[in-house]
Amino acid sequence: MELPGDALLNYVFPNNVHVAWSVMIVIYPYITGLIAGAFVVSGLSHVFKVKEFEPIANFALIAAFCFGLFAATPLLVHLGQPQRALEIYFTPHLTSAMSIFGYVYSGYLLLLMIEIWLIYREYFVRKAGEDTGVMKLIWTVLTLGVTTYHPDSAKLDRKLAVILAGIGIPWAFILHGYVGFVFGSVKAIAWWATPLQPVIFLLSAIVSGMAIVLVMYSFIKWRRGERLDQPMVKKFSAFLWGIFILDVTMELLEVAFAAYEKGWHWSQIKPLLLGPLFETYVIGQLLVLSVVPFVILGYVVLSGVKGRLMLILANVAASFLLLQVLFMRFNVVVGGQLISKSERGFVEFHWEPFSKEGPLTAIVLFSAPFVAYYIISRFIPILGHDDDSSVAR
Amino acid sequence: MNKPLENRPQSSRPVIDAGGDDARREFLRNFLAGTATATVLMVFGPGVAALAQGGSDSAPAGASGKAAPKHQFAYVINVNNCIGCGNCVRACKRENQVPSAVFRTWVERYVVTGEGMYVESPNGALEGFSQVNAGIREKATKSFTVPKMCNHCENPPCVQVCPVGATFKTKEGFVLVDPEHCLGCAYCVQACPYGARFINPVTHKSDKCTWCYHRVKNGKLPACVTVCPNKARLFGDLNDPESEVTQIFKDEAWMVLKPGMHTDPTCFYVGMPREVV
Amino acid sequence: MAAPSPRSHLYRLLLILVVFGAGFLAVKQWATPDSWNYEHWYRGDAVVEAAAQPLVYGGNDSCKTCHKDVAKLWRKKPHRKVACETCHGPIVDHAKAGKKTAVAFIDKTRAQCLNCHLEGINRPRAFPQFSKQGEIGKLVPKHKELDAVTPCAKCHEAHDPRP
């Protein structure tokens, strides 16, 4: 393995032997990205009136909310002093890229809740009238005690929901661009330090969020034995393809720039990409997980393929994209830390499957949003059986 | 007098005159008070009043106001003198109860050959170094040992990125961690270009060299300086013309680590070979 | 019970938000440490607490009061550059509040001397080094004949090392 800095011996700073931000910090931007991406889908329908997406707009919104509920949990697990987590609200240090995350994140969650509430309020009101017992109480609380649905509110609520969606899109961008900024602004780590980082994070977030919406949608419809909305999936694939191309362009641009510049960055990055990150970055993220979905989606979008095959191809591509983004998160977060600040060696990454911050915890945390979705879907109609009309769109 | 802080090559900011620092803070304050007042009011509530008035600093080290601080401490590492015995590493561990496998200070040994170089720091040089093996020794063109530690930067990235204000720089130059406020998020560990910070595996909080703040405040030298047998480590007050650190700059050229990071360290290296990162 | 206005649910939402916001600000006020420094953004007491950390090493002056003779000798000899505690360990292990509390650490083995003096290419040339073949520094005839176990103390005294 080639080492940077003329080193003949792999030398890492003694405090550098462990990767300080490991699997938890890989899935934290991953889940955060899913929120942003899923929200964009609902925004495309609510704000940009892409009518094909109308049937899945609410679904995407609820999915975004479910991911939102758990986006901060990996951070919490990662903290050395999780009981002090709220200090980020009490004494946020404005010079830190991380300090306002608490506010941006919870503000966003609030926005999602209000938007969902506005959309489902009519349903809550109806349920509060129909149900009895504890459920009635819960529905009534959800209506905030306004248990009759004023006919004039419908228009008002819809308008407000659109406005919130309009605010939500830039906010989602800020939320995730911000996560990229947290990494991109660390000058000490060559692989992170690029102004493109927020853009890359944002675009990959949209890719992964859209992909998971598609996969979840297909899965749910398939489980229910219902027909998938083919024109929607086709349109969806087109959007996904386009944004993914943008995403990969940015990812490649970053590396191409460093490579052509041949500066300090490249002296650090080149041995990294050809060494410890070769499998996960060059082969995994680029050759397999980018090329394959690019080709498949291109085929889906450009050819006249229809029916079952089209649905399967779109879903296979989306699954690849989900992995691509997961790999990208790993390659950035962990990859950056593999270059020791000694500039003469690479840190070894250990998976430590059963440690507090290991992959097992990651799997548990990552399943949580799906469980939340399942629970929520027991109570409110999310992906309409075609006869639902009580939910505003 | 040739004070290193005043004529450092990359920065024209006269740090010793407290004005430099204050100007920066004033900028931040104005920025907060102006453009972002509304947000800040919402977010910070009680703090805003203090921000607007400039606040009062109860802490001894950061006494507020325009007056220059009484002391401006600096650390000098004279690479020419380091014998690589590791006494500093041991004393630091003992003085500050630093757990094993993490280091507030460590020593590196460089062996430069025509083909490349061997850099190592076995267990942070806690036990010093064993002799260079004969094969490499034959090829070596030069070899030296370099102590490393927190650089107590004038422009510390670790302080900048701490999301809760659990680490800060005092006016006298110490960069400290507040263990009662630290979240253990490790952002500072990432931001430090020198690998000087670590998450303490016992307390799960960020930890780093304090220049033995408690010793200096009690009129003693940092533990590593105390036990260094060959004056490779010096510590003193740049405001005192007689101090060893002030004296050494009269006739020695100095460098800092990773000047390209523009962190403006106040830990200066004398006689540092160019191979050192 | 519902208000006739089509906006009543929004008013209620607003009320809840305001109450939560106010509650949050109250909690924030309460949770921010009393000594918080809003200008430099840190907890003022942290500095006081940092200064209160107990000392372990006392420095050379701390030995002088009880070991005048050794200190006097030491001061005139080459090892004056080497602090007492470098060889004997920190004072907290030995004396507290003007009283001896435990036996001080003494290492009479070669290891301690060799830790500093064993010849090595990484040491400064001018530093006196122990080498049997004289690879580095002065070739000392007496050293040439040495076996691997003879303590250095046979010819050198720690406080007055020059034989």
Side-chain angles (χ1 to χ4, degrees):
Chain A
M1 188 167 69
E2 190 196 346
L3 292 170
D6 276 347
L8 297 173
L9 209 65
N10 190 55
Y11 174 61
V12 300
F13 280 155
N15 290 331
N16 250 185
V17 288
H18 291 296
V19 168
W21 284 1
S22 65
V23 182
M24 283 303 115
I25 309 298
V26 172
I27 65 161
Y28 146 68
Y30 191 59
I31 299 181
T32 316
L34 295 178
I35 316 176
F39 190 85
V40 166
V41 176
S42 80
L44 281 173
S45 160
H46 285 149
V47 183
F48 297 103
K49 312 289 181 212
V50 178
K51 65 175 185 315
E52 283 90 343
F53 292 176
E54 220 181 86
I56 56 162
N58 290 344
F59 161 69
L61 198 61
I62 302 268
F65 176 67
C66 291
F67 292 120
L69 282 179
F70 295 95
T73 49
L75 283 183
L76 218 54
V77 173
H78 159 73
L79 285 188
Q81 304 289 330
Q83 78 284 4
R84 295 184 186 162
L86 288 178
E87 279 171 15
I88 203 148
Y89 292 99
F90 301 149
T91 58
H93 187 218
L94 275 193
T95 62
S96 168
M98 208 188 262
S99 64
I100 297 300
F101 178 78
Y103 285 97
V104 174
Y105 164 70
S106 37
Y108 190 66
L109 211 56
L110 192 68
L111 181 140
L112 273 175
M113 279 183 343
I114 297 177
E115 193 180 343
I116 292 172
W117 179 71
L118 287 173
I119 290 171
Y120 280 95
R121 207 171 63 82
E122 191 183 347
Y123 181 77
F124 296 158
V125 169
R126 204 182 77 207
K127 279 296 206 183
E130 287 172 2
D131 272 2
T132 54
V134 186
M135 283 316 294
K136 186 183 178 72
L137 189 72
I138 294 175
W139 293 123
T140 312
V141 169
L142 281 174
T143 61
L144 302 184
V146 184
T147 45
T148 50
Y149 195 71
H150 198 292
D152 290 349
S153 331
K155 233 177 99 191
L156 183 67
D157 283 0
R158 193 167 311 157
K159 211 162 99 192
L160 273 177
V162 170
I163 291 175
L164 284 181
I167 301 172
I169 289 177
W171 202 322
F173 283 17
I174 290 172
L175 178 71
H176 210 72
Y178 187 36
V179 175
F181 191 90
V182 166
F183 292 96
S185 58
V186 176
K187 64 184 165 196
I189 296 184
W191 183 226
W192 291 357
T194 158
L196 277 179
Q197 208 64 275
V199 183
I200 294 174
F201 265 70
L202 179 58
L203 290 170
S204 57
I206 299 175
V207 168
S208 64
M210 289 187 74
I212 199 132
V213 166
L214 181 62
V215 172
M216 276 172 81
Y217 165 82
S218 308
F219 180 78
I220 293 166
K221 284 284 181 185
W222 170 71
R223 288 285 301 163
R224 283 196 201 154
E226 291 180 6
R227 290 165 60 84
L228 277 80
D229 182 347
Q230 291 213 24
M232 187 279 284
V233 174
K234 191 114 186 176
K235 186 89 174 187
F236 205 100
S237 305
F239 270 94
L240 194 53
W241 194 49
I243 293 172
F244 178 59
I245 289 173
L246 262 180
D247 176 30
V248 172
T249 309
M250 291 299 150
E251 280 173 18
L252 291 178
L253 195 58
E254 182 212 336
V255 177
F257 223 87
Y260 191 76
E261 228 178 33
K262 285 200 169 70
W264 172 74
H265 274 82
W266 191 237
S267 74
Q268 304 297 302
I269 295 170
K270 185 184 169 200
L272 174 75
L273 298 187
L274 296 180
L277 273 199
F278 190 75
E279 284 92 2
T280 51
Y281 181 79
V282 178
I283 297 188
Q285 188 185 332
L286 289 188
L287 290 182
V288 177
L289 295 172
S290 295
V291 173
V292 174
F294 169 76
V295 172
I296 297 180
L297 279 180
Y299 177 69
V300 169
V301 174
L302 301 176
S303 78
V305 62
K306 271 212 228 41
R308 231 181 127 75
L309 180 64
M310 189 273 280
L311 296 174
I312 290 174
L313 285 179
N315 273 289
V316 167
S319 308
F320 267 80
L321 289 183
L322 280 174
L323 276 181
Q324 199 268 358
V325 177
L326 187 61
F327 269 58
M328 175 265 175
R329 302 287 189 250
F330 175 87
N331 288 334
V332 171
V333 175
V334 173
Q337 297 169 77
L338 295 185
I339 315 176
S340 172
K341 287 156 180 172
S342 71
E343 301 185 5
R344 288 220 168 79
F346 293 112
V347 181
E348 225 175 285
F349 177 67
H350 302 283
W351 283 96
E352 297 172 0
F354 303 108
S355 71
K356 185 186 90 170
E357 295 186 41
L360 200 67
T361 320
I363 291 171
V364 171
L365 292 183
F366 191 65
S367 333
F370 300 98
V371 175
Y373 177 88
Y374 179 78
I375 293 172
I376 293 177
S377 72
R378 296 291 93 186
F379 293 97
I380 58 176
I382 300 174
L383 257 183
H385 298 280
D386 307 306
D387 51 349
D388 281 320
S389 55
S390 63
V391 176
R393 284 226 162 102
Chain B
M1 191 181 18
N2 177 12
K3 282 184 191 170
L5 287 179
E6 277 181 345
N7 49 10
R8 66 172 66 243
Q10 330 83 22
S11 156
S12 54
R13 183 154 43 82
V15 206
I16 291 179
D17 309 336
D21 260 17
D22 283 344
R24 189 172 55 196
R25 287 183 191 116
E26 195 139 286
F27 165 76
L28 190 71
R29 200 155 56 230
N30 291 343
F31 171 76
L32 289 180
T35 46
T37 313
T39 352
V40 170
L41 262 171
M42 204 183 76
V43 173
F44 294 97
V48 182
L51 265 170
Q53 300 155 9
S56 73
D57 195 336
S58 59
S64 142
K66 297 284 175 206
K70 198 166 147 221
H71 303 289
Q72 183 68 52
F73 289 107
Y75 199 105
V76 174
I77 291 177
N78 190 340
V79 179
N80 298 323
N81 284 357
C82 179
I83 62 171
C85 59
N87 275 301
C88 47
V89 185
R90 296 191 282 276
C92 176
K93 287 245 170 193
R94 186 64 213 279
E95 178 77 36
N96 298 298
Q97 277 97 47
V98 183
S100 60
V102 287
F103 301 89
R104 287 189 178 196
T105 183
W106 68 96
V107 184
E108 296 167 353
R109 178 169 68 189
Y110 290 69
V111 180
V112 183
T113 73
E115 297 149 24
M117 60 193 86
Y118 298 85
V119 186
E120 60 181 334
S121 182
N123 201 9
L126 191 66
E127 308 294 336
F129 295 91
S130 52
Q131 280 174 305
V132 178
N133 96 28
I136 297 175
R137 189 171 172 146
E138 256 164 40
K139 290 185 280 182
T141 52
K142 62 175 165 178
S143 178
F144 45 87
T145 49
V146 185
K148 292 276 187 78
M149 52 188 262
C150 170
N151 285 263
H152 294 265
C153 309
E154 263 311 308
N155 201 358
C158 54
V159 171
Q160 183 192 11
V161 302
C162 177
V164 295
T167 181
F168 51 91
K169 186 169 178 77
T170 74
K171 278 213 165 173
E172 294 176 327
F174 300 85
V175 175
L176 301 178
V177 179
D178 177 356
E180 296 307 311
H181 206 65
C182 173
L183 300 175
C185 71
Y187 202 12
C188 54
V189 177
Q190 308 293 0
C192 173
Y194 305 105
R197 281 184 173 253
F198 54 90
I199 294 295
N200 187 312
V202 175
T203 64
H204 303 292
K205 297 163 190 167
S206 177
D207 203 332
K208 67 180 273 295
C209 158
T210 60
W211 274 352
C212 283
Y213 186 73
H214 59 296
R215 295 179 63 81
V216 177
K217 285 285 136 184
N218 283 298
K220 311 248 185 227
L221 289 168
C224 50
V225 179
T226 304
V227 301
C228 179
N230 210 27
K231 297 224 170 291
R233 290 171 173 264
L234 305 174
F235 180 80
D237 184 357
L238 289 175
N239 287 356
D240 171 7
E242 299 307 317
S243 76
E244 279 177 314
V245 288
T246 318
Q247 294 293 323
I248 197 161
F249 293 117
K250 282 186 177 164
D251 34 43
E252 299 278 1
W254 55 270
M255 264 295 280
V256 294
L257 291 173
K258 296 193 181 177
M261 288 287 161
H262 294 272
T263 53
D264 298 359
T266 55
C267 176
F268 301 93
Y269 282 79
V270 165
M272 184 167 72
R274 62 169 191 84
E275 288 85 359
V276 180
V277 172
Chain C
M1 67 184 258
S5 159
R7 284 189 213 94
S8 55
H9 62 291
L10 296 177
Y11 296 144
R12 290 186 189 195
L13 177 67
L14 205 65
L15 185 70
I16 290 175
L17 290 181
V18 168
V19 169
F20 264 91
F24 169 74
L25 285 182
V27 172
K28 181 178 183 306
Q29 167 88 45
W30 168 80
T32 307
D34 293 335
S35 66
W36 196 261
N37 180 315
Y38 287 95
E39 190 188 3
H40 301 242
W41 217 257
Y42 69 100
R43 196 174 57 96
D45 288 347
V47 188
V48 184
E49 288 161 22
Q53 187 187 329
L55 299 180
V56 175
Y57 286 82
N60 293 332
D61 293 346
S62 68
C63 313
K64 272 185 205 156
T65 43
C66 300
H67 295 292
K68 277 200 193 67
D69 326 348
V70 181
K72 221 170 173 180
L73 172 71
W74 166 84
R75 207 171 58 232
K76 297 196 201 85
K77 304 299 176 185
H79 270 171
R80 68 180 163 273
K81 282 166 112 180
V82 189
C84 317
E85 286 168 309
T86 310
C87 295
H88 291 300
I91 191 162
V92 286
D93 291 351
H94 172 52
K96 249 179 220 129
K99 271 211 196 86
K100 178 178 167 175
T101 53
V103 177
F105 172 77
I106 293 182
D107 185 353
K108 296 186 190 178
T109 65
R110 298 160 57 113
Q112 183 166 55
C113 313
L114 292 178
N115 173 236
C116 291
H117 285 293
L118 181 63
E119 61 93 23
I121 51 170
N122 52 286
R123 302 219 205 263
R125 290 289 149 132
F127 185 75
Q129 296 173 42
F130 173 86
S131 66
K132 290 181 70 173
Q133 275 79 44
E135 296 96 327
I136 286 177
K138 190 163 63 181
L139 177 68
V140 180
K142 290 262 189 192
H143 288 171
K144 230 175 149 178
E145 303 145 17
L146 265 190
D147 54 29
V149 286
T150 315
C152 316
K154 189 167 171 249
C155 306
H156 298 281
E157 222 194 290
H159 301 148
D160 180 8
R162 208 168 277 160

